[in-house]
Each structure stands twice: as C-alpha cells, then as structure tokens.
Amino acid sequence: MIKQTPVLRRCISCRKTYDRKNLLKITKDHKQGIILQQGIGRSAYICKSKECYSDSKIKKKLQKALKTFLEPEFIDIFEKEIASYNNYPN
C-alpha cells in the first residue's frame, strides 16, 4: 500500500509550511470572484493562529498574493470567518 504524503502549503503571514487541512484557503476564481475554502484558481493560505490572521498587514499580503483588489465586503466576511477560530497551537 502506498502512503500518501500530506499536501503542504505556506502561510502568507508567518511563511511557515503546514498541512493544507490546517490552513484557511482564499481563492480568486475567475468566475465567482474571491471565495473561502473552495474553488480553483490563484489561492493564498493563512494558518489558524491568532498572530497570522490578526496581522495588521494581512489585507495587503492577501491582495499581493491574489493579485487583485479586495472589496470591503470580502474583508467583512473574512473577519467573520476568522472570528470563529480559536488560537491554535503551532
């Protein structure tokens, strides 16, 4: 039996590598726009630690990683999503 290696992605805030399951995925889809946790297209990942998603420069880092302008409506949705996370140990 072949063991599958975990899919690793890098957090755009702390630049550490984690398993994809432990990260929040933000995707720029060419049809649906910017969506969370699904979709195909240019993606950015943020780990679930409080230091990363409460970073003061996270909006700029997301805009650079996704190569797009983030609407204020998305920022509100993003803040509601990360408010549901606890401080995960890393």
Side-chain angles (χ1 to χ4, degrees):
M1 180 178 257
I2 299 173
K3 291 184 179 180
Q4 289 188 343
T5 58
V7 179
L8 301 176
R9 297 290 182 256
R10 186 177 304 243
C11 173
I12 64 169
S13 184
C14 65
R15 309 295 293 165
K16 293 181 183 174
T17 305
Y18 297 99
D19 186 6
R20 187 171 57 183
K21 298 174 197 170
N22 299 328
L23 298 168
L24 173 66
K25 179 181 178 184
I26 300 127
T27 305
K28 176 186 168 190
D29 191 349
H30 66 281
K31 291 182 181 178
Q32 296 177 336
I34 299 175
I35 51 180
L36 296 171
Q37 295 292 68
Q38 59 186 359
I40 299 172
R42 179 169 287 278
S43 298
Y45 294 87
I46 300 174
C47 64
K48 296 178 180 180
S49 69
K50 187 173 183 173
E51 292 81 24
C52 288
Y53 62 74
S54 63
D55 185 8
S56 62
K57 298 179 183 178
I58 196 68
K59 181 179 175 184
K60 185 173 182 175
K61 290 177 182 180
L62 275 173
Q63 289 181 143
K64 185 176 180 180
L66 298 175
K67 296 184 179 179
T68 188
F69 175 74
L70 296 178
E71 300 293 330
E73 296 85 23
F74 172 76
I75 299 299
D76 294 336
I77 294 169
F78 176 70
E79 288 174 353
K80 288 177 186 174
E81 180 73 22
I82 62 174
S84 65
Y85 294 136
N86 294 325
N87 191 6
Y88 286 87
N90 289 330

